Amino acid sequence: PRGGGSGLPPTGCLPGSWRQDVGLDCKGFPEGAEARAWTVYYYSLLQSCLQQAGLPETQDRSQVPRTGCPGAEVTLCILGSPSTFLSVLLEGGVQSPGNMLLCLSPAWLMKVPAPGQPGEAALLVSKAVSFHPGGMTFLDDFVPPRRATYFLAGVGQGPGWGREAAELARDLTCPTGASAELARLLEDRLLTRRLLAQQGGVAVPATLALTYKPPGLLRGGDASPGLRLVELSGKEGQETLVKEEVGAFLRSEALGDVLQVAVKLSGWRWRGRQALRLHQRAELDAVVDTVLALLEKLEEEESVLVEAVCPPPRLPSPGPELAVRICAVVCRTQGDRPLLSKVVCGVGRGDRPLRHQNSLPWTLEVALAQCGLGEATQVAVVRQRIKAAAEAALAAVLALEAGLSAEQRGGRWAHTDFLGVDFALTVAGRALTPVALELNGGLCLEACSALEGLWAAPGPAADAAAAAPLVETMLRRSARCLMEGKQLLVVGAGGVSKKFVWEAARDYGLKLHLVESDPNHFASQLVQTFIHFDLTEHQRDEENARLLAELVRARGLQLDGCFSYWDDCLVLTALLCQELGLPCNPPAAMRLAKQKSCTQLHLLHCHGPPWPAPSLHAVPCCPLESEADVARAVHQVPLPGVMKLEFGAGAVGVRLVEDAPQCHEHFSRIARDLQGEADHPGIGLGWGNAMLLMEFVEGTEHDVDLVLFGGRLLAAFVSDNGPTRLPGFTETAACMPTGLAPEQEAQMVQAAFRCCLGCGLLDGVFNVELKLTGAGPRLIEINPRMGGFYLRDWILELYGVDLLLAAAMVACGLRPALPTHPRARGHLVGVMCLVSQHLQALSSTASRETLQALHDRGLLRLNLLEEALVPGEYEEPYCSVACAGPSPTEARLRLLGLCQGLGIDGPNYPVAHFLSHFK
């Protein structure tokens, strides 16, 4: 319904009542009559879509231009039909309020050359409809224009402004989710069908392709089952060859019991512009005549396809035989992994092809039930087959793109971020099988929007939006765009457990400069600038901050930010940021969080308002610097209690004490054994070996990893810890996401958030350790930096959120580009290995090489925390070994079996007990 060949949009087909006197003109960029007609049409189409979804009309705010921070804010821009992208737009309004923009005309956008990036251009947005939570939309002008950090456009052929969109999308400095170059590949049915069959192992219809001068990507290569390609030397005089090939195809076993074939043109030029012709399989002459007639229309690199019409499965349904057409939306997620996000079905008569927009959208369960297949197990099998085929299709496309140059893709940042895959459901080998017909991104998104629109009225709630993973990818790629080339100073390199920092920095295009005490640290060779400086004298942090600031200025470093993930260096980093005028938390707040007794005692006096106050989560404690302090503390803190180092890390030296003699004994032992940094590097002894005694709190232990910006909570990730080996508190096991009930999880997140705010921690990535008691969360300690051990890796794997990148963005004064409600993609359950308990296994059955090999095969997830197998009384875990699964139970059972096989489980280290909290 695009107005035929007139080039004008349809008229009079959008019933509804909304204001017409809105400011659709873009100042300084007048549109011609035809372009203006399309802008008005798309605005009306948007209002119609919002109306049908039960959402309010767009408010015109264009008379008062919006100001912002160009180049420092996420801007997700879509240029396309509102009905196609409605699901994406609404989800973007939830995940990144005010940053999802719909442009209704190419005139609302402008490309400007990018300084220092020859051949590339920045995309500026002067006018757009912005999307907000609750489906609120506003027509906005932007002065100065916003700079796009992600661009997605409808770049197809036909009326409207597809060609202008294609030109706007080419060679941008921001990520793009589509380009004309990629569309030409993906809209060629023959090319994608061969790609899916050969690379993805996806079932496709038996097809005969008669091709005129095929493109390079179709030349050579292995033959695909049921897919025959015949290269034509010309378009005329092919009658004999065509008759032979068509006859052989119609008689071939590849067609099975197919009764009908379809004849159609293949090539990006024909997408959506021609109808297929149906013939009975026995009608050889009619099929040949149709093929010969279509051959005359071919241009170079185009084909005529003769393909099997997949017969619908014969299911025991009442009434006439029904066919099911399935469309699956699959998105590219973290690590270029495909993820099926939604399945929508159309149901119709079995004797005619089903098409988009001529059938109602249904869920898979309802569609199959209407065809007579309602048994839940069978439906689950069909869904799994659809998931596997759709994800394999996107994986094949991504593999193809990986072999293309930036020019072939349409730009350095151009990649396919989602696909719509259309399937016919048929029977192959006595099994219900989804057969891939074509790739249809826009139409599949539109079908998902229509299905999700069923829940606009009061009634049962819909599941997650089809576009949720796509919007998360938009945000993730936007963060990369904003951070590429940023200059960051890192204070303290850390050990082997932080090796990922340098790999990630290279991947993100960050320019890192390092300050480190060890002149021979391996990271000194991996950074732009290395500054050797003694960071261990923490009593001189203020003086050292001034000296470091002078060194930075002397070297002419133009820094965008400065941060640290190493406990010992956090206060120094805050002082240095203050000296350099870079974003940071106040040094007083970092000192408060760094000293554990100060944290608890300060929060005990934070009674509010507002309520609930942080004091509800604080635990009574006493600082200990002498034996006299210990004698006083045992009368002030209820026993049993917990003794720990004031500035410690990794649970080293933490012990349960039952009575006063145990308190004195443990204090004396720590005072003797752990006097300075040389006794146990990396656990905070550079700050001294003072201790504290705090009340022992019964309950389950949990970590909450927070991202804060401007005092606002942007993201929180809760994990569960297993029971420790008392009287020690070294971590044994963990599970993510949490198994807590939603209300308990929310209480944990809010407790962690309140405690950070109570200490003055307003900006950054923080790790908060809590216990959940019968009366609610109680604080163990705040680590005012990114969570250690396996946490960054697990959160990245499960949620696609990189805490390292978030911390770097905050350090640069940029709001991290994070989804509002990230969803976990599965479950991880892990166990810690200790040298004192596993030396024999770690030297044989569970050696580092064995564990790494299992990690590389995807059988476990390994996080190495120490380099050497050195046993000692005061130890940290050597490594974390985890298993993934679709449920915590499956992940837990896999891990238990693995630990038993590797020799990690044993009488003195009962893994089943450590995992018992995760049942």
Side-chain angles (χ1 to χ4, degrees), residues 687-709:
W687 287 85
N689 66 346
M691 301 191 73
L692 73 150
L693 174 65
M694 62 186 295
E695 182 182 342
F696 175 67
V697 178
E698 292 280 1
T700 55
E701 189 172 333
H702 307 267
D703 278 55
V704 182
D705 288 273
L706 305 173
V707 182
L708 272 62
F709 188 75

Side-chain angles (χ1 to χ4, degrees), residues 183-472:
R184 285 183 72 131
L185 298 177
L186 299 183
E187 292 182 357
D188 185 327
R189 281 192 184 90
L190 176 57
L191 176 62
T192 54
R193 195 164 287 181
R194 179 165 160 174
L195 177 69
L196 266 54
Q198 283 189 349
Q199 304 298 322
V202 179
V204 298
T207 304
L208 169 67
L210 301 148
T211 309
Y212 178 54
K213 295 185 178 179
L217 288 171
L218 279 174
R219 294 195 186 105
D222 299 329
S224 303
L227 186 61
R228 176 163 173 74
L229 190 152
V230 178
E231 186 173 344
L232 302 176
S233 57
K235 295 186 286 185
E236 299 176 355
Q238 304 292 328
E239 291 83 357
T240 302
L241 176 63
V242 167
K243 188 161 188 175
E244 288 177 359
E245 290 290 346
V246 171
F249 177 71
L250 295 179
R251 293 189 300 271
S252 69
E253 293 181 1
L255 289 180
D257 58 356
V258 164
L259 299 178
Q260 286 184 308
V261 293
V263 185
K264 60 179 73 168
L265 288 160
S266 173
W268 69 276
R269 194 166 61 98
W270 299 104
R271 186 58 170 236
R273 294 178 59 192
Q274 48 91 32
L276 56 83
R277 277 81 162 173
L278 286 178
H279 295 283
Q280 295 299 312
R281 180 178 177 179
E283 298 173 350
L284 171 61
D285 291 339
V287 175
V288 169
D289 290 343
T290 301
V291 171
L292 291 171
L294 291 179
L295 281 181
E296 298 176 6
K297 301 182 179 182
L298 290 188
E299 292 183 1
E300 291 185 11
E301 301 187 350
E302 295 180 346
S303 310
V304 176
L305 304 184
V306 183
E307 67 179 46
V309 176
C310 299
R314 295 182 177 87
L315 298 172
S317 60
E321 187 175 64
L322 297 174
V324 179
R325 183 174 176 125
I326 299 163
C327 94
V329 173
V330 57
C331 301
R332 181 165 75 105
T333 63
Q334 170 67 32
D336 289 344
R337 284 174 294 186
L339 177 71
L340 178 72
S341 64
K342 184 149 288 192
V343 175
V344 180
C345 298
V347 179
R349 286 173 49 175
D351 59 350
R352 60 183 63 173
L354 277 171
R355 291 183 170 277
H356 282 279
Q357 301 173 330
N358 74 352
S359 61
L360 294 172
W362 301 94
T363 62
L364 178 66
E365 289 72 17
V366 171
L368 293 180
Q370 288 173 217
C371 297
L373 186 69
E375 208 279 313
T377 304
Q378 293 176 306
V379 173
V381 170
V382 173
R383 178 176 288 278
Q384 182 55 41
R385 289 175 183 158
I386 295 167
K387 174 179 170 66
E391 292 179 354
L394 180 54
V397 169
L398 295 181
L400 171 68
E401 288 182 13
L404 301 178
S405 67
E407 183 180 3
Q408 289 173 311
R409 295 197 314 272
R412 178 170 60 100
W413 288 90
H415 289 285
T416 297
D417 285 333
F418 80 99
L419 282 182
V421 189
D422 278 331
F423 295 100
L425 190 64
T426 189
V427 174
R430 302 185 67 182
L432 281 174
T433 303
V435 176
L437 303 177
E438 58 188 353
L439 306 182
N440 243 334
L443 289 173
C444 285
L445 271 183
E446 197 165 38
C448 292
S449 294
L451 181 64
E452 290 163 9
L454 293 175
W455 284 272
D463 57 359
L470 174 57
V471 174
E472 290 175 15

Side-chain angles (χ1 to χ4, degrees), residues 460-761:
D463 57 359
L470 174 57
V471 174
E472 290 175 15
T473 295
M474 290 176 164
L475 290 169
R476 188 161 45 248
R477 295 188 69 193
S478 287
R480 284 176 170 266
C481 175
L482 287 169
M483 291 299 290
E484 187 183 42
K486 286 285 190 283
Q487 307 274 344
L488 283 134
L489 184 66
V490 177
V491 183
V496 64
S497 65
K498 297 297 185 287
K499 273 189 174 179
F500 66 83
V501 171
W502 321 107
E503 299 163 5
R506 184 174 61 250
D507 183 39
Y508 292 134
L510 304 179
K511 308 296 184 186
L512 295 190
H513 310 272
L514 174 63
V515 181
E516 167 59 33
S517 303
D518 179 3
N520 300 313
H521 197 286
F522 70 87
S524 65
Q525 305 300 312
L526 305 175
V527 292
Q528 306 291 311
T529 308
F530 179 70
I531 300 175
H532 176 225
F533 191 93
D534 185 2
L535 302 173
T536 61
E537 295 291 329
H538 297 296
Q539 289 74 18
R540 301 175 59 188
D541 272 352
E542 293 190 7
E543 178 188 347
N544 286 341
R546 289 191 291 270
L547 292 173
L548 274 174
E550 290 173 11
L551 285 173
V552 167
R553 295 188 190 103
R555 297 207 180 199
L557 301 183
Q558 301 296 312
L559 298 176
D560 297 295
C562 171
F563 76 117
S564 180
Y565 43 78
W566 200 241
D567 277 298
D568 280 9
C569 300
L570 299 174
V571 174
L572 173 61
T573 302
L575 290 164
L576 178 57
C577 287
Q578 199 172 60
E579 289 286 336
L580 295 172
L582 294 171
C584 65
N585 286 293
M590 298 301 278
R591 284 196 183 96
L592 189 60
K594 177 65 184 163
Q595 190 167 357
K596 296 175 174 56
S597 65
C598 288
T599 306
Q600 298 283 6
L601 295 173
H602 172 79
L603 293 176
L604 279 169
H605 293 92
C606 292
H607 299 296
W611 185 87
S615 58
L616 292 174
H617 311 298
V619 177
C621 68
C622 282
L624 308 174
E625 294 189 4
S626 66
E627 290 284 358
D629 292 335
V630 177
R632 281 193 297 272
V634 295
H635 298 292
Q636 296 175 14
V637 176
L639 296 178
V642 177
M643 289 187 72
K644 59 171 71 175
L645 289 163
E646 275 279 24
F647 304 98
V652 175
V654 183
R655 188 174 183 85
L656 179 71
V657 285
E658 302 278 358
D659 51 34
Q662 286 188 10
C663 291
H664 285 284
E665 180 187 351
H666 189 57
F667 182 84
S668 299
R669 184 187 304 117
I670 295 296
R672 180 187 67 243
D673 296 345
L674 301 177
Q675 296 183 11
E677 184 71 12
D679 294 322
H680 201 306
I683 63 161
L685 292 172
W687 287 85
N689 66 346
M691 301 191 73
L692 73 150
L693 174 65
M694 62 186 295
E695 182 182 342
F696 175 67
V697 178
E698 292 280 1
T700 55
E701 189 172 333
H702 307 267
D703 278 55
V704 182
D705 288 273
L706 305 173
V707 182
L708 272 62
F709 188 75
R712 296 187 179 277
L713 178 63
L714 301 189
F717 306 93
V718 182
S719 54
D720 305 337
N721 291 339
T724 62
R725 300 168 63 238
L726 295 175
F729 286 90
T730 302
E731 186 173 324
T732 57
C735 175
M736 182 181 280
T738 178
L740 295 174
E743 182 177 341
Q744 292 174 312
E745 181 183 11
Q747 290 279 14
M748 298 298 282
V749 170
Q750 286 302 311
F753 182 36
R754 285 186 207 110
C755 290
C756 286
L757 292 183
C759 290
L761 299 173

Side-chain angles (χ1 to χ4, degrees), residues 787-837:
F789 291 166
Y790 49 82
L791 286 167
R792 179 260 181 183
D793 177 59
W794 283 21
I795 291 167
L796 183 59
E797 171 70 14
L798 291 175
Y799 297 93
V801 172
D802 191 345
L803 294 185
L804 175 65
L805 186 60
M809 293 189 77
V810 174
C812 293
L814 299 177
R815 180 187 174 101
L818 301 177
T820 306
H821 303 292
R823 301 168 178 87
R825 308 285 184 236
H827 296 262
L828 281 168
V829 176
V831 66
M832 294 293 198
C833 295
L834 305 176
V835 175
S836 63
Q837 300 298 315

